[in-house]
Amino acid sequence: SSTLDLGRISGNSGPQGFRLSGKVTASSNWNAQPSPWILSGYGSGYLTIGAGTTVTLQPGANLKGSPRAGGSCCNNYAAALIVSGTLAANGTAENPVTFTSIKDDAVGGDSNNDGSNSTAAAGDWGGIAVSGAGSIDFTQTDIRNGSYGIQGTTTGVVSAVGGTWRNFDVSGIDINASNPKIQNISVANA
């Protein structure tokens, strides 16, 4: 089988974005694009970053989660990102990395092509789940409109410095990790 290297995809300016599902097994960089990266919500309902794989989101990158459309994850919530490898998000104050709902038109435009017929809300997507030896390394990263911001149990490293996390229907953070580092995060409605 061949491996899709998401770090080599660029230039698509379609209104929907880059739809993602399945398992990432090749380390890659996900750059800021005119259209966001979208967790599809189809099939299994989530995207897994495999053990030994590092995905790095660059400043200004946007990842949007779709409503649940099959499968189960994260206590049966909507599409989610499962981290068994490493997820790094290298945002800046001017260009944060953002994880949000496909209904959030304020980031990455109208990705679900419904004009103003939907409004982003808590629980629109599952959030980010870390498991096994999965690691999170976030700088200036915004997370919103999910069931969770980050949740799970890991023997890996969890570090999040800077950003805004808001609008969750379960919890902004629910992590069981050794010495997690969570600093300078503004949390609301969690």
Side-chain angles (χ1 to χ4, degrees), residues 12-24:
N12 185 351
S13 61
Q16 291 289 327
F18 298 95
R19 292 190 175 275
L20 307 171
S21 65
K23 185 173 186 177
V24 180

Side-chain angles (χ1 to χ4, degrees), residues 71-162:
S72 62
C73 169
C74 304
N75 299 322
N76 214 22
Y77 296 109
L81 183 60
I82 311 300
V83 181
S84 297
T86 299
L87 177 62
N90 297 326
T92 65
E94 298 79 27
N95 291 300
V97 169
T98 303
F99 296 89
T100 189
S101 164
I102 195 169
K103 297 176 185 178
D104 188 346
D105 296 348
V107 177
D110 182 17
S111 303
N112 62 350
N113 283 333
D114 73 344
S116 60
N117 291 326
S118 64
T119 302
D124 279 351
W125 68 292
I128 301 165
V130 63
S131 67
S135 292
I136 301 285
D137 185 10
F138 288 175
T139 303
Q140 293 300 324
T141 300
D142 297 343
I143 307 173
R144 56 192 191 216
N145 302 312
S147 290
Y148 287 92
I150 298 176
Q151 64 100 11
T153 299
T154 182
T155 59
V157 175
V158 175
S159 175
V161 179

Side-chain angles (χ1 to χ4, degrees), residues 53-73:
T53 302
T54 299
V55 170
T56 303
L57 283 85
Q58 298 300 327
N62 299 312
L63 190 142
K64 293 185 173 187
S66 297
R68 186 175 181 279
S72 62
C73 169

